[in-house]
Amino acid sequence: CTVTWELAQMSQQWTTSFVLDSDIVPRGSVLGMQNLRDEALQVLGRIKVPKHRVLAAFMNSKDSWLPACCSGKTASSSVINENDTERLAQNVMKLSDTLKELLSDETPMDTAFQDQLNRFLSLQSHLRSSRGPARSAMLFPPGKIVHLIKTGEQSGCCSSVKDCVTCSPSQAGSNYTPVWINNDDLNEVVVSPTMMTDHFVDRMCDELEKLVATMDDVPLSPNDEDGMNCII
């Protein structure tokens, strides 16, 4: 859940919230979703090729983001681990080249789409001001925040099969590191294949159990040893 800034700060006395990676719920607010919409529309305005070429480029790059079992690669776990760094560098360069091919460096201002977008944004700004500050209020996760950030991924047959069956949102075999963050650190929606499934209670419980099993001494609070309540 998300609350106002005042309540988020007040609840630190009795609440600790856990956020799994790119979970959309603690980032959710009307203003946050509006910003995501506006950013997506602005990116569309920078596309300098027909939209079907963008889709074709995405589909042609599937081998770089699908699991090995889905992309037709049957390399062993040891080979995958040895090639991780090189493959990542190649994917980053390929993505950079693709973006240069598909997107303009600057937003063109003389297109019909940009003219329509400017009128749309102007209208939305007028509507926001007429509705008052309540509709534009930012919302924050309550209490002290522990963010479980994905920092690694195990290679293996089981995790590859699970990723293949679920098209990656299962995040099977992923490793997470808990980090204390501020209430306002999650102020943007992160577009990710797991932005919805990261909010599932069973996933959060599984990852917390794994962390407890691997850590000998986990501090209950960034400042003290008080008990904690968990909001998922």
Side-chain angles (χ1 to χ4, degrees):
C1 65
T2 52
V3 297
T4 62
W5 176 257
E6 291 76 11
L7 184 55
Q9 294 294 297
M10 185 186 306
S11 60
Q12 289 188 359
Q13 301 178 18
W14 67 82
T15 301
T16 298
S17 298
F18 291 87
V19 179
L20 182 61
D21 204 41
S22 56
D23 186 352
I24 189 176
V25 173
R27 297 176 168 87
S29 67
V30 174
L31 187 58
M33 299 305 295
Q34 289 176 343
N35 291 337
L36 177 62
R37 176 202 62 197
D38 295 344
E39 291 177 3
L41 291 174
Q42 290 169 0
V43 170
L44 285 176
R46 292 176 54 198
I47 295 177
K48 58 183 180 180
V49 298
K51 303 301 185 291
H52 68 84
R53 287 189 55 187
V54 178
L55 179 60
F58 172 76
M59 296 306 297
N60 290 336
S61 64
K62 64 182 183 302
D63 284 347
S64 64
W65 54 265
L66 281 178
C69 64
C70 292
S71 59
K73 299 175 183 179
T74 57
S76 64
S77 298
S78 59
V79 174
I80 292 175
N81 289 333
E82 292 173 359
N83 294 334
D84 272 349
T85 303
E86 181 180 355
R87 184 184 179 192
L88 177 60
Q90 292 175 350
N91 290 342
V92 170
M93 293 181 61
K94 185 176 181 180
L95 176 61
S96 178
D97 293 339
T98 301
L99 291 177
K100 290 180 181 178
E101 177 185 353
L102 300 179
L103 300 179
S104 302
D105 294 335
E106 297 181 357
T107 302
M109 305 302 296
D110 56 349
T111 64
F113 177 86
Q114 191 61 38
D115 183 55
Q116 294 175 356
L117 177 59
N118 290 336
R119 292 202 302 270
F120 172 79
L121 295 178
S122 177
L123 175 61
Q124 293 300 315
S125 177
H126 173 72
L127 291 176
R128 279 196 297 268
S129 61
S130 65
R131 292 166 181 159
R135 291 290 296 273
S136 300
M138 289 294 295
L139 299 177
F140 309 88
K144 302 182 180 74
I145 314 296
V146 178
H147 189 194
L148 275 62
I149 302 175
K150 182 179 177 180
T151 54
E153 186 171 325
Q154 300 173 359
S155 299
C157 180
C158 292
S159 58
S160 295
V161 170
K162 289 181 181 178
D163 280 344
C164 182
V165 171
T166 62
C167 295
S168 291
S170 72
Q171 289 287 48
S174 298
N175 299 322
Y176 297 89
T177 299
V179 179
W180 291 103
I181 62 173
N182 298 320
N183 298 82
D184 56 352
D185 285 340
L186 305 175
N187 56 3
E188 291 184 340
V189 175
V190 176
V191 178
S192 163
T194 63
M195 59 193 296
M196 297 296 184
T197 57
D198 281 344
H199 190 66
F200 288 0
V201 175
D202 57 335
R203 289 212 56 226
M204 172 63 78
C205 291
D206 288 344
E207 298 306 329
L208 288 178
E209 289 176 357
K210 292 177 184 177
L211 287 174
V212 171
T214 57
M215 293 184 176
D216 296 329
D217 184 17
V218 181
L220 297 182
S221 167
N223 300 317
D224 51 52
E225 298 268 335
D226 293 339
M228 65 171 75
N229 298 318
C230 173
I231 292 182
I232 300 178

